[in-house]
Amino acid sequence: MHELSIVQNIVETTDAFAREHGVEKVSYVALKIGAATGIEERYVRMYFPDVAEGTALEGAEVRIEEVPEEAFCLDCGNVFNPRKSSDKCPECGCSVYDLLHGNELMIREIGYN
Ligand SMILES: [Zn+2]
């Protein structure tokens, strides 16, 4: 995955928001990351300090909430975690489903004083 560009995007968005609102220092940024995005938390944390340098996010804490995958079986309507059941509905064995959760990537909250 392209964690670096994702982190750059998050920092740019948050920094722009902070400037617009006259915030000089962001204390934390809370993210929601879906399990199906393939984004690895450790890389987000690894890139963040460098990318945030010189912005309102410098020294800010990164809080990450992982959203588990949740699928809706189009055959029987069962809701299940496709990762835990080899991409098949555990009720009917069907592998045609809609992903309800797991593709999230969003800034949930920004903290500042
Ligand atoms: Zn099913």
Side-chain angles (χ1 to χ4, degrees):
M1 272 309 288
H2 311 289
E3 280 88 354
L4 180 58
S5 60
I6 288 160
V7 172
Q8 283 167 338
N9 204 298
I10 290 164
V11 169
E12 271 170 33
T13 305
T14 314
D15 191 46
F17 175 88
R19 281 171 204 283
E20 268 173 40
H21 293 79
V23 175
E24 283 174 20
K25 190 165 164 44
V26 172
S27 53
Y28 70 84
V29 57
L31 309 172
K32 248 187 172 174
I33 300 177
T37 59
I39 298 167
E40 290 203 39
E41 189 177 324
R42 61 194 169 110
Y43 288 118
V44 173
R45 293 189 186 282
M46 189 176 88
Y47 292 131
F48 188 84
D50 284 343
V51 177
E53 208 180 304
T55 73
L57 282 83
E58 193 173 317
E61 181 197 346
V62 185
R63 297 178 185 174
I64 296 174
E65 182 189 334
E66 195 188 75
V67 184
E69 287 171 332
E70 197 172 79
F72 176 78
C73 175
L74 293 178
D75 201 32
C76 77
N78 183 35
V79 173
F80 62 102
N81 183 326
R83 184 165 296 201
K84 287 183 180 160
S85 58
S86 317
D87 262 356
K88 283 188 172 63
C89 170
E91 289 295 320
C92 71
C94 165
S95 57
V96 183
Y97 58 81
D98 269 344
L99 203 58
L100 302 174
H101 292 290
N103 276 323
E104 292 86 350
L105 173 59
M106 61 173 97
I107 300 168
R108 195 174 64 77
E109 200 181 333
I110 296 165
Y112 51 86
N113 296 314

